[in-house]
Every structure is written in C-alpha cells, then in structure tokens.
Amino acid sequence: MPNYLLPIPAKGANPLQHCLKELEGGWQGQGHLAALWQAWPKIAGAELAPHCRPLRLQGSVLWVGVEQPHWLLALRYAKHQLLGALRAAGFSVQRVELEQRMQIPLAALASSESANSWAEHPSRVDIHGSCLCPSCQIPTPGGEIKRWGSCSLCLRQNRN
C-alpha cells in the first residue's frame, strides 16, 4: 500500500542548456511567434530581415510589420519566396499579410545629415516664405528665387 505522507522523490536537475533546447523545441512545435522571431534572420534573409519584423501569428496567417514604403514594396514582390521559406523552416503559415508599421522616429531623422540639408533647402516654403517667380509668375518658395533667380522649373528650362 502506497504511503501518501512521504514526499515525492525529487528528479535530478537538468542542465540549463538542455532546458533551453527543450523550450525551443516546444516553441517550434507549437508555431510560437518566439520561434519565428528567432529564425527570422534566416527566413527573411540578410537584406530584408533588418527592415521588417513578424508582428503576430494568428492561426495560419502571419502579420509582418515593415518600416518603409520601399521595403513594403520589396516584400510584396518577395511574398511567395517568404512563404516558401517559412514553410521550409517548419512554420505552417498559409498566408502572409504586410503592414507598414515601424516608422523611423522624427527625432532620429532630425539628427541625420539629410534632415539638416532638407531643413535648409531653398524649396522649403515654410522657412523661406513664398513669392512669385520673375520669369513665369508662378508662386515659388522664396529660397529658390534668392538662390537661383527663378523657380526650379524655369531654371531647368533654361538649362536645356
């Protein structure tokens, strides 16, 4: 007859590496987003992976967030290859949906050289005001008139 008052014998401790492998195997088998995040650089490839991220996995539909419109377009063209790579990696994804979600913060843009160049560009109406081009009488940013003496359209026509 079993004695219910005795403690349950303790199992031997497993090494941490074994526990992590077991956990990772469970993720992969159940189609968890965590496993997808871990495998994403291999699945999406070195060129696309830094510009997009898996957002959610709902049933057999994977939602991918993309940072910029040109990367969204690139991913639209590569959607079938991405779906094939997902299936080859063991994920039972039937459809991939893309969303432009990750925008670069304005603070990051303000610190870049291109943002500084754009802030001082002659075509900025908000900084230089607006006036009429002396050649064609079309409203033009004042910075263009100050820099080139006419609007950019007239300047281009005179160069040709």
Side-chain angles (χ1 to χ4, degrees):
M1 182 160 165
N3 189 349
Y4 294 106
L5 299 176
L6 293 176
I8 298 172
K11 293 182 180 179
N14 288 332
L16 182 60
Q17 184 178 11
H18 176 73
C19 294
L20 292 175
K21 288 287 184 192
E22 189 176 308
L23 183 61
E24 184 180 351
W27 285 347
Q28 187 70 34
Q30 297 172 12
H32 278 261
L33 190 59
L36 187 54
W37 269 74
Q38 188 176 14
W40 189 249
K42 288 182 182 178
I43 292 171
E47 190 174 341
L48 289 177
H51 305 286
C52 58
R53 294 270 187 268
L55 297 175
R56 60 188 177 277
L57 188 57
Q58 295 175 324
S60 63
V61 180
L62 172 66
W63 295 85
V64 178
V66 186
E67 14 175 85
Q68 298 288 331
H70 57 277
W71 288 111
L72 181 64
L73 184 62
L75 228 67
R76 280 189 184 138
Y77 285 121
K79 201 182 218 183
H80 294 290
Q81 289 88 347
L82 182 61
L83 193 56
L86 285 161
R87 290 178 183 160
F91 294 95
S92 58
V93 175
Q94 298 298 319
R95 196 173 85 218
V96 175
E97 294 293 331
L98 306 172
E99 294 179 8
Q100 185 177 344
R101 294 285 300 249
M102 297 178 245
Q103 295 292 332
I104 296 175
L106 293 176
L109 280 176
S111 64
S112 71
E113 288 182 31
S114 63
N116 292 335
S117 173
W118 172 241
E120 298 174 6
H121 197 273
S123 66
R124 295 283 306 267
V125 174
D126 57 345
I127 293 174
H128 304 287
S130 182
C131 57
L132 295 178
C133 172
S135 303
C136 64
Q137 299 301 309
I138 292 177
T140 307
E144 287 186 12
I145 303 299
K146 183 178 177 184
R147 186 169 186 182
W148 299 309
S150 65
C151 70
S152 57
L153 297 174
C154 290
L155 181 69
R156 187 177 184 137
Q157 286 175 347
N158 292 337
R159 286 187 182 171
N160 292 335

